[in-house]
Amino acid sequence: SAGHTHSGRALGNGAAEFIVVVGIEMDDEFTNEIEVIAGNHLDINDTTRENPIILYDKMAEKLNVGLNDTIRVRFSTVYGQVQAAQFTVVALLKATNPFMSVAAFTSLDTLKPLVGLMPQESSSLSIIMKDLEQPKLVIEQAKRLHEALQPGAAGYIGSLKAENGSQQTAQVLAVLPEEAARTQF
């Protein structure tokens, strides 16, 4: 159930707090680790609700919000732009660890576009290797993984045509990593 995390400032009903929004894919491991005290944690996948989010009870109390209330969260995108998004509280969890109460959970499908990632993109990747009895083999496998994860060159070949009718063949090797630039291109 690991995913992307983005920290920022959450604004509730007359209160603001530091929050860490975690994008997850709902699975049994996550479900088995939480104690739902209100709402339904599976509703983070409910596309009819605006950016569904799950809060710990302590955070909800600090933000002065409850089930079905909305909170506004400010955080930075992967491009460094400040983003503000509104989330709907769909479930509350019992906080058993005071350090965890700053975490809030939403689906990866909800969080990725808000932070500037395409569905297939990732801001980070963690790979845990087991059976470390043979360090040389592990290092060799890690090197192969690293090489396999390197992106290849990407580009487009096409023609540019001016209003006066002149035409030129062009190769585009990169587009600014901003949604507006990609859309315009």
Side-chain angles (χ1 to χ4, degrees):
S1 62
H4 298 286
T5 63
H6 291 272
S7 59
R9 203 94 180 119
L11 181 63
N13 290 322
E17 284 292 327
F18 173 79
I19 198 169
V20 178
V21 180
V22 182
I24 63 168
E25 289 181 343
M26 187 60 67
D27 59 17
D28 290 339
E29 183 183 340
F30 179 80
T31 300
N32 294 336
E33 291 176 7
I34 60 171
E35 183 184 339
V36 180
I37 57 175
N40 185 344
H41 64 289
L42 299 177
D43 284 347
I44 66 166
N45 295 316
D46 182 353
T47 56
T48 64
R49 317 224 8 217
E50 183 181 17
N51 301 330
I53 197 165
I54 301 170
L55 298 178
Y56 281 104
D57 56 353
K58 300 278 190 230
M59 178 59 71
E61 194 178 302
K62 289 178 182 176
L63 292 172
N64 193 27
V65 294
L67 206 55
N68 300 315
D69 284 343
T70 58
I71 64 171
R72 196 151 186 80
V73 180
R74 258 180 80 152
F75 50 82
S76 294
T77 69
V78 292
Y79 304 113
Q81 299 166 317
V82 175
Q83 167 78 310
Q86 189 162 292
F87 291 86
T88 305
V89 180
V90 295
L92 298 175
L93 308 179
K94 180 75 179 154
T96 53
N97 178 337
F99 298 107
M100 281 299 293
S101 65
V102 299
F105 304 95
T106 190
S107 73
L108 277 173
D109 290 342
T110 297
L111 188 60
K112 279 186 172 186
L114 295 175
V115 298
L117 291 172
M118 301 295 279
Q120 73 279 8
E121 292 180 319
S122 174
S123 62
S124 65
L125 180 65
S126 297
I127 298 173
I128 300 169
M129 300 184 82
K130 298 179 179 179
D131 302 324
L132 303 177
E133 293 84 28
Q134 300 178 37
K136 286 184 180 177
L137 181 61
V138 171
I139 291 169
E140 188 179 302
Q141 289 174 334
K143 285 181 179 175
R144 277 199 310 237
L145 272 171
H146 188 264
E147 288 169 9
L149 292 171
Q150 295 299 314
Y156 303 92
I157 298 174
S159 297
L160 296 176
K161 194 180 278 187
E163 287 182 15
N164 66 8
S166 65
Q167 188 170 329
Q168 180 69 45
T169 301
Q171 288 184 323
V172 178
L173 298 178
V175 177
L176 285 172
E178 299 168 349
E179 189 60 37
R182 281 192 277 225
T183 301
Q184 185 179 14
F185 183 79

